[in-house]
Amino acid sequence: MPRHTNALAEETSPYLLQHAHNPVDWRPWGAEAIAEAQRRDCLMLISIGYAACHWCHVMERESFEDEAVAEAMNDGFVCVKVDREERPDVDDIYMAACQLSGGGGCGWPLNAVALPDGRPVWAGTYFPKDRWLQVLATFVGLRQNEPEKLSAYARQIAEQLAPGPPLATTPLPQTLDTGIGERNAERITRLADPEHGGFGGAPKFPLPIGYAFLLDHLALRREGDQHRRSVTRVIDEGLLAMARGGIFDQVGGGFSRYSVDARWHAPHFEKMLYDNAQLVSVYARAYRDASDEEVRAEYRDVIIATLAFISRELTTPDGLFYSSLDADSEGVEGKFYVWTYEELTALLSPEEFRLYSAAYGITPHGNWEEGVNILHRQAGWQAMSERSRPDSGQALSPEHLQSVLAKAAAKLLEVRNLRPRPALDDKILVSWNAMMVTGYVDAYLALGDGDYLIVAERAGLALLSGFRQNDGRLLRTSAKGRTHVNAFLDDYANLAEACIKLYGVTFEERWLADARGLVDYALDHFSAPDRALLFYTSDEDTGLVTRRFETDDNVTPASNSVLAEVLLHLGTVMSEDAYAARARAMLAEVMPLLAAGRQALYASRWLQLHDRLSYSHFEVAIVGPEALAARMALARAARMPRITLLGSARPGSSLPLLRERFREGQTLYYVCRAGVCQLPTAELAVAIDLIAAER
């Protein structure tokens, strides 16, 4: 039996359960913890992290498992543990407090000190044991001797945390300036690393939001345009560098969260569902648009390998998706994924080893710390095949080289699967699962693999049946047989988007009805007085210092930017002007940011919406017995950012644009603008010409 058990033992989050037997008297976030702090009239210590977080584990081993540290924490504070993925609303408040209070670097673990009512006075991140004890003593001393200072800190931070007035209140003009998208795309391309690809320097994150915007923006440009060429180069250099780098699991597929260096070599080895979901969508889109066949093949391989990883390691028996895999195994970061020179020589044939070591940068002393090797592909297949020439004889063809290396990787995967595995965070989050549904739909559109669509439909149905309550409310998370926590705006927005995506490839209108129900509930319960933007938390949630708006696109897109695009799409497909008007009003509130362009990368999803409204846009209605096949043909032939698709294989649709469109035995395309349609055509090429004729 463990020596200690605290209140976290009743929780379902794997992260909280990791701390259930610490000597620290942890409590979960909630009214009971705040009431206890007020009863004791002592400070709260709110520690926030997530299951896959390496430095969270380090601080637990060094401090939270230490009896002396635990005694200091228990004596001076009511101690609260929060899973940031389960309660992103709590994390947002105290992360913002960290950035405002200047408590050092802001990351995870995030450790905040708050007054008994939960108002933060300070926050910082990881501290070694001795420094942590000093932090605790400092705040206990302030509480005893200078409580007025803490009250002043809390008052200042609370004032800054409260949402201010909207940046803009003037409506959008009817015609938007296409130059805003172009200038912001140029700003983002200037952030690109010309040597190693990606944006910025170390640590380097994939940031799929930036590529998603650039891909959509690219599709709006004419061939031969210089701006188009520079954007294409940034996209391909970044996506290829990630696909070849150590951040991508070259043996088992899937991406790690970020690279600790600028050249994508050494990842922070945790694997997150949200990264892989978005990157599948980005590579699928890039695959559809790329003109170079070798580049297309690399993008295809990334999609297939990543979804194989998702299927093998992050898919639940019910067809949903787990949250993450830890960075550590056996207490060592990355141990599951790296190889010694001796291991590889023993596992591979001499020819396999010669080719594999050359392809992936293997060295006898290791290409990373502690003498181990991270697999980092050195070039494209054509270039590597030319380098693979033996001392005498012809170079291997790219196809043969890939075949040899694939067989070698299969051997390594088989052996790796016998190693002690990184811990799995087995909670299911609606928002992240919805992004994965969208990823599977995008992969289906790109590669045409019907199994991907089956997975997406199954997961979409499971989310709606398992997390949606009778009154339309969503719950956010499920683990250990318990579904709980009121959902946040990103859950509603991303699930509605996934439903719209499923409608777009099935033409089953139930998905639109589900999307509409989610949107209507969000509008009823997350709307703010006199604001177009929506709060991140619903009006049913209490206990936070303030309700805040999520507007910045980051490693995941902002819930407001996703919802605005969902509203515009539903307004178009359902001919609901109120939805489209709300989307435009939401965009209007952030227009000063887009016009200034100072943080273009972190407004990428808003910029997608702006471009969507800036260029000529079409509704294409496809009706008739072969509507779905015609839909796939159009997706392969047309640039989709300019098109909203709807369709039906049979009469009887509830959508205004599909009524009275059917002709017996014919499959027809109707190209429309603002609900006004041209004469139908049965020819895909004619429909494409009608779209291409107007820019």
Side-chain angles (χ1 to χ4, degrees):
M1 293 291 293
R3 289 186 59 196
H4 305 280
T5 299
N6 55 50
L8 300 184
E10 301 300 318
E11 295 298 304
T12 65
S13 155
Y15 175 68
L16 299 184
L17 292 171
Q18 287 170 8
H19 294 267
H21 300 295
N22 294 165
V24 178
D25 186 19
W26 294 118
R27 299 165 183 267
W29 172 265
E32 290 183 9
I34 293 175
E36 177 64 11
Q38 292 175 338
R39 186 190 69 78
R40 287 177 53 188
D41 191 28
C42 70
L43 296 171
M44 300 181 73
L45 196 153
I46 301 157
S47 183
I48 304 171
Y50 56 102
C53 168
H54 170 71
W55 287 104
C56 299
H57 303 329
V58 174
M59 192 161 182
E60 181 187 17
R61 289 194 296 267
E62 292 178 350
S63 294
F64 302 152
E65 292 179 350
D66 184 276
E67 300 277 355
V69 175
E71 183 178 3
M73 293 173 66
N74 295 337
D75 286 349
F77 304 85
V78 167
C79 301
V80 177
K81 257 292 169 196
V82 178
D83 182 340
R84 68 173 295 259
E85 298 165 356
E86 190 174 80
R87 293 302 304 258
D89 57 332
V90 178
D91 178 62
D92 174 61
I93 292 288
Y94 294 102
M95 181 60 74
C98 181
Q99 293 159 351
L100 292 170
S101 68
C106 296
W108 298 279
L110 179 67
N111 295 290
V113 176
L115 296 183
D117 59 6
R119 286 182 296 155
V121 298
W122 174 92
T125 183
Y126 163 79
F127 293 94
K129 174 183 170 180
D130 291 346
R131 179 75 180 99
W132 181 237
L133 285 168
Q134 293 172 8
V135 169
L136 299 176
T138 295
F139 283 98
V140 168
L142 283 171
R143 180 65 173 171
Q144 292 172 347
N145 303 318
E146 299 179 273
E148 69 283 355
K149 279 191 175 181
L150 295 180
S151 295
Y153 296 156
R155 194 162 48 249
Q156 292 167 10
I157 291 174
E159 288 172 356
Q160 295 178 78
L161 287 175
L167 294 173
T169 56
T170 56
L172 285 183
Q174 194 60 38
T175 302
L176 299 186
D177 177 12
T178 59
I180 287 179
E182 183 168 325
R183 289 190 292 275
N184 278 286
E186 288 172 350
R187 291 183 181 106
I188 291 173
T189 60
R190 287 198 295 271
L191 296 174
D193 180 341
E195 184 176 2
H196 302 298
F199 303 114
K204 187 175 282 186
F205 288 79
L207 293 176
I209 54 163
Y211 292 104
F213 162 59
L214 292 180
L215 283 161
D216 271 6
H217 182 73
L218 189 71
L220 298 166
R221 310 293 301 185
R222 290 188 181 277
E223 297 288 347
D225 181 279
Q226 178 58 40
H227 175 72
R228 178 181 167 82
R229 286 193 293 269
S230 65
V231 173
T232 301
R233 184 180 67 254
V234 166
I235 292 169
D236 287 341
E237 287 176 352
L239 295 184
L240 290 172
M242 286 191 286
R244 297 167 184 173
I247 193 174
F248 184 68
D249 183 350
Q250 303 293 338
V251 168
F255 289 88
S256 295
R257 182 164 166 252
Y258 64 86
S259 173
V260 301
D261 57 82
R263 62 189 186 95
W264 303 110
H265 175 68
H268 189 38
F269 286 90
E270 61 199 33
K271 286 182 171 181
M272 315 301 293
L273 180 65
Y274 64 79
D275 284 322
N276 286 281
Q278 293 177 91
L279 286 165
V280 165
S281 290
V282 164
Y283 279 91
R285 179 59 198 282
Y287 169 85
R288 290 164 64 190
D289 286 0
S291 55
D292 184 289
E293 286 305 314
E294 184 178 8
V295 170
R296 276 171 57 87
E298 289 204 44
Y299 292 164
R300 178 199 64 217
D301 293 345
V302 168
I303 298 165
I304 293 170
T306 302
L307 292 180
F309 154 70
I310 295 294
S311 175
R312 186 178 65 247
E313 300 188 42
L314 288 184
T315 299
T316 78
D318 298 326
L320 291 170
F321 309 104
Y322 298 125
S323 292
S324 66
L325 288 173
D326 207 322
D328 298 7
S329 57
E330 302 179 83
V332 179
E333 185 181 8
K335 186 172 182 179
F336 184 74
Y337 299 101
V338 297
W339 303 88
T340 65
Y341 189 84
E342 291 73 23
E343 283 176 317
L344 294 173
T345 55
L347 290 170
L348 304 178
S349 71
E351 178 66 359
E352 287 172 337
F353 178 77
R354 180 181 75 83
L355 296 173
Y356 209 84
S357 60
Y360 291 101
I362 308 303
T363 71
H365 302 294
N367 61 27
W368 195 44
E369 55 196 38
E370 305 296 331
V372 297
N373 289 281
I374 293 171
L375 303 180
H376 184 155
R377 186 148 59 88
Q378 303 302 294
W381 295 114
Q382 182 64 47
M384 286 198 303
S385 70
E386 293 168 0
R387 298 177 193 171
S388 68
R389 186 187 306 274
D391 293 337
S392 60
Q394 284 188 319
L396 299 177
S397 69
E399 294 75 19
H400 185 62
L401 176 63
Q402 283 182 268
S403 175
V404 172
L405 296 182
K407 290 176 182 176
K411 290 182 181 179
L412 298 185
L413 182 61
E414 184 176 356
V415 170
R416 196 177 80 177
N417 284 339
L418 301 176
R419 294 174 173 176
R421 301 186 64 81
L424 171 70
D425 186 331
D426 64 355
K427 69 176 177 291
I428 299 163
L429 295 170
V430 169
S431 178
W432 297 7
N433 270 253
M435 285 191 276
M436 195 69 249
V437 171
T438 294
Y440 268 101
V441 172
D442 288 336
Y444 167 67
L445 284 170
L447 304 184
D449 187 333
D451 288 343
Y452 293 159
L453 179 56
I454 291 171
V455 172
E457 288 185 285
R458 182 187 181 196
L461 290 170
L463 287 171
L464 291 164
S465 63
F467 292 82
R468 186 173 55 179
Q469 308 305 292
N470 291 336
D471 61 356
R473 175 174 57 102
L474 282 177
L475 298 178
R476 176 173 175 82
T477 182
S478 179
K480 312 296 187 290
R482 179 182 165 208
T483 303
H484 63 122
V485 180
N486 283 338
F488 304 106
L489 188 60
D490 59 331
D491 298 297
Y492 288 90
N494 286 317
L495 185 52
E497 181 174 53
C499 291
I500 287 170
K501 284 279 190 174
L502 284 164
Y503 167 75
V505 291
T506 64
F507 290 156
E508 294 180 13
E509 291 178 23
R510 61 173 180 175
W511 294 115
L512 289 180
D514 288 326
R516 182 174 193 161
L518 292 164
V519 163
D520 287 346
Y521 190 93
L523 292 173
D524 287 344
H525 292 277
F526 290 78
S527 290
D530 304 319
R531 296 286 296 266
L533 296 176
L534 282 73
F535 287 122
Y536 185 68
T537 52
S538 79
D539 56 12
E540 298 171 327
D541 289 304
T542 60
L544 292 179
V545 175
T546 186
R547 294 174 77 188
R548 286 164 57 82
F549 299 100
E550 185 186 53
T551 55
D552 291 348
D553 298 314
N554 207 298
V555 293
T556 57
S559 49
N560 269 292
S561 62
V562 176
L563 187 67
E565 197 162 338
V566 165
L567 284 164
L568 184 63
H569 194 103
L570 283 180
T572 303
V573 171
M574 294 183 152
S575 301
E576 291 279 1
D577 292 342
Y579 287 157
R582 183 64 176 265
R584 292 179 66 91
M586 293 169 76
L587 181 62
E589 281 204 35
V590 300
M591 274 301 295
L593 293 176
L594 306 190
R598 286 189 294 272
Q599 292 288 325
L601 189 55
Y602 299 100
S604 291
R605 189 65 186 262
W606 290 112
L607 288 167
Q608 282 182 272
L609 179 61
H610 185 276
D611 265 5
R612 156 77 172 78
L613 290 167
S614 302
Y615 289 82
S616 299
H617 196 84
F618 300 87
E619 306 92 49
V620 178
I622 308 174
V623 296
E626 301 300 321
L628 286 175
R631 184 259 181 271
M632 292 297 287
L634 180 62
R636 286 191 291 269
R639 291 177 181 167
M640 300 307 288
R642 307 186 68 216
I643 299 170
T644 297
L645 275 177
L646 59 165
S648 181
R650 52 192 176 275
S653 170
S654 64
L655 302 178
L657 269 174
L658 297 181
R659 291 175 191 156
E660 300 180 5
R661 302 290 187 193
F662 283 80
R663 294 182 184 175
E664 186 68 31
Q666 290 185 283
T667 296
L668 300 171
Y669 298 91
Y670 288 84
V671 177
C672 318
R673 287 195 64 190
V676 178
C677 301
Q678 301 189 45
L679 293 173
T681 177
E683 301 296 327
L684 173 63
V686 174
I688 296 294
D689 286 343
L690 290 172
I691 295 166
E694 186 172 353
R695 283 279 173 184

